[in-house]
C-alpha cells in the first residue's frame, strides 16, 4: 500500500505542539492553558505523554476571534 494520498483520501490532520500554537496565536504556554481551562480554546489531543492541537481547530479559533472583532 502506498503512502501517497489520492484525491479521494485527504492528507492526515496536522498536529501542532504548544510552541507551534504559541507562534500561531502570539501567546505563551500559560496563556494557552488558561484559555483552554476557561473553555475558550480547543482541547488538545493526547498522544502518549505528548499533547498536540489539531491545526484546523486552532485555525477555526483564530478565524472566530477575527470575525468577532470585525477583522478580515
Amino acid at each position: 500500500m502506498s503512502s501517497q494520498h489520492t484525491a479521494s483520501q485527504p492528507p492526515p490532520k496536522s498536529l501542532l505542539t504548544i510552541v507551534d500554537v504559541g507562534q500561531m496565536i502570539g501567546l505563551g504556554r500559560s496563556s494557552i492553558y488558561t484559555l483552554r481551562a476557561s473553555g475558550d480554546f480547543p482541547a488538545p489531543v493526547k498522544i502518549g505523554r505528548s499533547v498536540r492541537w489539531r491545526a484546523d481547530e486552532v485555525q477555526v479559533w483564530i478565524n472566530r476571534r477575527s470575525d468577532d472583532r470585525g477583522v478580515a
Side-chain angles (χ1 to χ4, degrees):
M1 185 168 169
S2 172
S3 64
Q4 292 180 331
H5 300 287
T6 64
S8 63
Q9 292 179 320
K13 301 289 184 194
S14 295
L15 296 175
L16 306 171
T17 66
I18 188 76
V19 173
D20 297 330
V21 172
Q23 290 174 345
M24 281 182 75
I25 66 173
L27 295 174
R29 178 184 308 259
S30 61
S31 296
I32 293 167
Y33 282 111
T34 298
L35 284 170
R36 175 62 209 127
S38 72
D40 189 37
F41 198 74
V45 176
K46 294 275 292 182
I47 302 172
R49 291 177 24 191
S50 299
V51 177
R52 300 288 185 269
W53 278 262
R54 289 184 48 188
D56 57 340
E57 291 179 357
V58 173
Q59 190 60 55
V60 166
W61 181 86
I62 292 168
N63 294 344
R64 189 183 79 228
R65 303 260 312 183
S66 296
D67 290 345
D68 290 347
R69 294 195 169 137
V71 177

